């Protein structure tokens, strides 16, 4: 996305505590020759390859006569068991179709309450071998809006960690149960800050400000709780470990080690277990949610909805995101993505392209099928941009072989 920019500034070299430095500053021609992560993709050393094959649908979700917002009474079929991208220019009706209509009506059919579902004729009609049991939106909203919320609590790692501390000889001697090691429970948490580690200062007409608690120094627990140690570390020190170090620390605890491995798998090895959710970026919060889904036991009967998940992501993060989405589909699930990013679109099994323009000039299905099929449709803007990209990737694959 930076091919037309001049000058370019790239941060890094990694994420979180591994970042924070300016790795390059200058023009695009110089960036291609630089030793940075973006340069590897721009120069062709690294790339997002086409999948070896496109998956075949395992069933269909059908919507009839959809007239939500600017949609023109369209009939639309979403394939099950594959990765689908809904594309089109801004205002073409993508969110109206996927979020307002498909998601909300499918949620209603599963017994969930939603506000203002889109308008269409009848309910969602599902056909195929896999009945749908869950529908899950994966967005970039925060996993919690207060300091106590963190990756460990969201992914339920904290439950397992508290159990380990409660099983230590010192905890048993003191009569401490797992709840003692929760900073949300009185008894083990710091009384001054209530286990937040921070004190909220209300700023009139401005966002609230948080300052570190003077009593616990941000550790969230009282002195007695911090005296209990597991493998030499107290509970606050364990929650301050990055995911990668925590995985090694708990290598003899298979349940916890496997869950931490999934966080590494989605590229969050640098996050600290107890890092406040308010400090996570939208992309990080999204990947925490994806990791939680990957770690859960899949029945292959879940539909995941994502609305422009590549927003704000580096191309290396996009690469990782695509791999994660493909794994969810490999488990038998259905992934439906609203997207503009061509690297993600080209990796889809199926495309539904809306348009031809936006607003009152949109709301129709312009093309649908595999990326190769959509690329052959003259009236599809998505197809026009896909065609040279697919041809280039095929040439690269042939040269590698």
């Amino acid at each position: 996305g930076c091919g037309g920019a001049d000058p370019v500034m790239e941060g890094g070299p990694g994420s979180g505590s591994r970042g924070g430095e300016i790795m390059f500053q200058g023009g695009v021609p110089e960036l291609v020759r630089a030793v940075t992560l973006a340069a590897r993709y721009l120069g062709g050393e690294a790339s997002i390859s086409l999948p070896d094959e496109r998956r075949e649908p395992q069933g269909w979700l059908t919507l009839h006569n959809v007239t939500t917002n600017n949609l023109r009474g369209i009939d639309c079929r979403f394939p099950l068991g594959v990765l689908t991208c809904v594309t089109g220019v801004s205002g073409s009706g993508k969110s109206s179709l996927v979020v307002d209509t498909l998601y909300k009506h499918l949620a209603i059919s599963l017994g969930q309450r939603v506000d203002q579902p889109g308008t269409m004729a009848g309910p969602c009609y599902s056909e195929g071998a896999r009945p749908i049991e869950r529908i899950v939106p994966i967005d970039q909203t925060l996993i919690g809006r207060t300091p106590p919320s963190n990756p460990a609590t969201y992914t339920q790692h904290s439950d397992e960690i508290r159990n380990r501390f409660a099983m230590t000889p010192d905890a048993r001697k003191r009569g401490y149960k797992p709840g003692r090691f929760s900073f949300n429970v009185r008894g083990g948490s710091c009384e001054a800050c209530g286990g937040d580690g921070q004190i909220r200062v209300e700023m009139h007409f401005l966002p609230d400000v948080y300052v570190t608690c003077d009593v616990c120094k941000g550790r969230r627990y009282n002195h007695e709780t911090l005296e209990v140690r597991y493998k030499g570390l107290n509970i606050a020190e364990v929650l301050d470990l990055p995911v990668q170090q925590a995985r090694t620390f708990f290598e003899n605890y298979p349940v916890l080690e496997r869950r931490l491995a999934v966080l590494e798998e989605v590229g969050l090895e640098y996050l600290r277990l107890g890092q406040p959710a308010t400090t996570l970026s939208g992309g990080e919060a999204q990947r925490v949610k994806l990791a939680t889904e990957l770690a859960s036991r899949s029945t292959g009967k879940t539909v995941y909805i994502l609305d422009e998940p590549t927003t704000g992501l580096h191309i290396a993060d996009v690469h990782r995101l695509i791999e994660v989405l493909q794994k969810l589909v490999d488990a038998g699930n259905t992934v439906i993505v609203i997207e503009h990013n061509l690297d993600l679109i080209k990796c889809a099994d199926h495309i539904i392209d809306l348009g031809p323009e936006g607003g009152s000039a949109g709301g129709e299905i312009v093309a649908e099928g595999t990326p190769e099929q959509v690329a052959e449709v003259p009236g599809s803007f998505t197809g026009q941009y896909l065609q040279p990209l697919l041809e280039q990737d095929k040439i690269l694959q042939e040269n590698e072989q």
Side-chain angles (χ1 to χ4, degrees), residues 171-350:
R172 289 182 173 181
K173 183 172 64 177
R174 296 172 182 232
Y176 291 169
K177 302 299 181 184
R180 176 81 191 200
F181 302 96
S182 170
F183 46 72
N184 291 319
V185 177
R186 293 188 63 180
S189 62
C190 170
E191 293 185 6
C193 62
D196 288 353
Q198 303 176 38
I199 303 295
R200 186 177 70 174
V201 179
E202 293 187 11
M203 304 289 287
H204 297 294
F205 307 111
L206 292 171
D208 293 343
V209 173
Y210 290 89
V211 296
T212 303
C213 175
D214 287 336
V215 177
C216 67
K217 309 301 180 185
R219 293 179 296 179
R220 300 180 171 182
Y221 296 92
N222 59 33
H223 177 71
E224 291 76 17
T225 305
L226 294 176
E227 287 181 334
V228 177
R229 294 184 174 269
Y230 173 68
K231 295 175 66 173
L233 300 182
N234 62 37
I235 182 68
E237 291 168 337
V238 167
L239 290 176
D240 197 45
L241 290 175
V243 167
Q244 194 170 50
Q245 291 183 26
R247 184 183 176 187
T248 302
F249 186 78
F250 289 108
E251 61 184 352
N252 295 324
Y253 191 19
V255 173
L256 191 50
E257 193 274 340
R258 282 197 303 270
R259 292 182 180 178
L260 290 168
V262 177
L263 282 171
E264 273 197 65
E265 195 175 325
V266 300
L268 297 177
E269 67 282 348
Y270 60 89
L271 281 189
R272 299 185 183 277
L273 297 183
Q275 184 172 329
T278 51
T279 67
L280 299 184
S281 70
E284 288 170 336
Q286 178 176 253
R287 279 184 283 167
V288 170
K289 296 174 185 179
L290 286 168
T292 304
E293 292 299 323
L294 282 175
S296 63
R297 184 170 296 177
S298 175
T299 61
K301 300 174 182 178
T302 300
V303 175
Y304 294 99
I305 304 287
L306 296 94
D307 191 348
E308 297 190 38
T310 62
T311 300
L313 298 189
H314 187 281
I315 188 170
D317 295 324
V318 172
H319 197 165
R320 186 89 65 146
L321 173 66
I322 292 171
E323 292 176 344
V324 173
L325 296 181
Q326 297 287 23
K327 287 186 178 182
L328 285 174
V329 181
D330 287 339
N333 301 297
T334 299
V335 176
I336 300 171
V337 182
I338 298 172
E339 193 53 77
H340 292 286
N341 186 288
L342 286 172
D343 282 313
L344 200 162
I345 294 170
K346 75 179 185 182
C347 293
D349 301 301
H350 189 82

Side-chain angles (χ1 to χ4, degrees), residues 47-69:
S47 63
I48 299 175
S49 302
L50 291 173
D52 294 332
E53 59 183 3
R54 308 291 183 188
R55 302 179 185 87
E56 292 293 328
Q58 302 301 306
W60 298 87
L61 268 175
T62 304
L63 308 181
H64 288 298
N65 193 28
V66 183
T67 56
T68 307
N69 298 325

Side-chain angles (χ1 to χ4, degrees), residues 110-124:
L110 295 173
Q112 301 176 25
R113 295 185 63 181
V114 298
D115 295 326
Q116 298 179 319
T119 51
M120 66 177 193
C124 291

